Amino acid sequence: MTFVNDYSGRRQQERGPWLKSREEADYWQSQLRERGYVVRIESMSGTLPDSGGNALAQALSSMA
Protein backbone atom coordinates (compact mmCIF):
# COMPACT_ATOMS: atom_id res chain seq x y z
CA MET A 1 0.00 0.00 0.00
CA THR A 2 1.38 3.38 -0.95
CA PHE A 3 0.32 6.80 0.27
CA VAL A 4 1.14 9.87 -1.79
CA ASN A 5 -0.09 13.45 -1.89
CA ASP A 6 -1.91 14.31 -5.11
CA TYR A 7 -1.59 17.57 -7.06
CA SER A 8 -3.94 19.38 -4.64
CA GLY A 9 -2.08 18.18 -1.54
CA ARG A 10 -4.63 15.57 -0.52
CA ARG A 11 -3.31 12.24 0.70
CA GLN A 12 -4.08 9.36 -1.66
CA GLN A 13 -3.84 5.64 -0.89
CA GLU A 14 -2.75 3.25 -3.62
CA ARG A 15 -2.88 -0.53 -3.21
CA GLY A 16 -0.37 -2.77 -4.88
CA PRO A 17 1.67 -3.77 -6.68
CA TRP A 18 1.38 -7.40 -5.58
CA LEU A 19 4.79 -9.04 -5.72
CA LYS A 20 5.86 -12.68 -5.64
CA SER A 21 8.26 -12.56 -2.68
CA ARG A 22 8.91 -10.64 0.51
CA GLU A 23 12.42 -9.85 -0.73
CA GLU A 24 11.03 -8.20 -3.86
CA ALA A 25 8.51 -6.24 -1.76
CA ASP A 26 11.29 -5.06 0.57
CA TYR A 27 13.36 -3.92 -2.41
CA TRP A 28 10.52 -1.84 -3.87
CA GLN A 29 9.62 -0.49 -0.46
CA SER A 30 13.16 0.88 -0.04
CA GLN A 31 13.17 2.29 -3.60
CA LEU A 32 9.90 4.14 -3.06
CA ARG A 33 10.91 5.40 0.38
CA GLU A 34 14.10 6.87 -1.08
CA ARG A 35 11.86 8.90 -3.38
CA GLY A 36 9.72 10.27 -0.55
CA TYR A 37 6.86 7.79 -0.53
CA VAL A 38 5.42 6.29 2.63
CA VAL A 39 5.08 2.57 1.94
CA ARG A 40 3.54 -0.27 3.94
CA ILE A 41 3.86 -3.91 2.94
CA GLU A 42 0.74 -6.05 3.18
CA SER A 43 0.72 -9.82 3.02
CA MET A 44 -1.67 -11.91 0.96
CA SER A 45 -1.29 -15.20 2.79
CA GLY A 46 -1.94 -18.47 1.06
CA THR A 47 -2.60 -19.46 -2.53
CA LEU A 48 -5.63 -20.91 -4.22
CA PRO A 49 -5.74 -24.71 -4.48
CA ASP A 50 -4.25 -26.13 -7.69
CA SER A 51 -3.28 -22.65 -8.82
CA GLY A 52 0.47 -22.98 -8.65
CA GLY A 53 0.35 -19.56 -7.01
CA ASN A 54 -0.44 -17.82 -10.29
CA ALA A 55 -4.26 -17.66 -10.27
CA LEU A 56 -4.37 -14.10 -8.96
CA ALA A 57 -1.76 -12.88 -11.43
CA GLN A 58 -3.64 -14.54 -14.30
CA ALA A 59 -6.97 -13.08 -13.18
CA LEU A 60 -5.54 -9.58 -12.88
CA SER A 61 -3.74 -9.72 -16.21
CA SER A 62 -6.92 -10.77 -17.96
CA MET A 63 -8.61 -7.62 -16.62
CA ALA A 64 -6.05 -5.29 -18.21
Side-chain angles (χ1 to χ4, degrees), residues 8-35:
S8 65
R10 289 182 293 186
R11 185 175 172 162
Q12 299 294 317
Q13 174 181 331
E14 299 176 3
R15 294 193 178 269
W18 305 114
L19 304 169
K20 292 181 180 183
S21 69
R22 176 64 188 223
E23 293 79 20
E24 191 175 357
D26 289 336
Y27 168 78
W28 283 109
Q29 178 185 40
S30 67
Q31 293 297 309
L32 290 168
R33 282 188 173 163
E34 287 176 9
R35 288 158 179 79

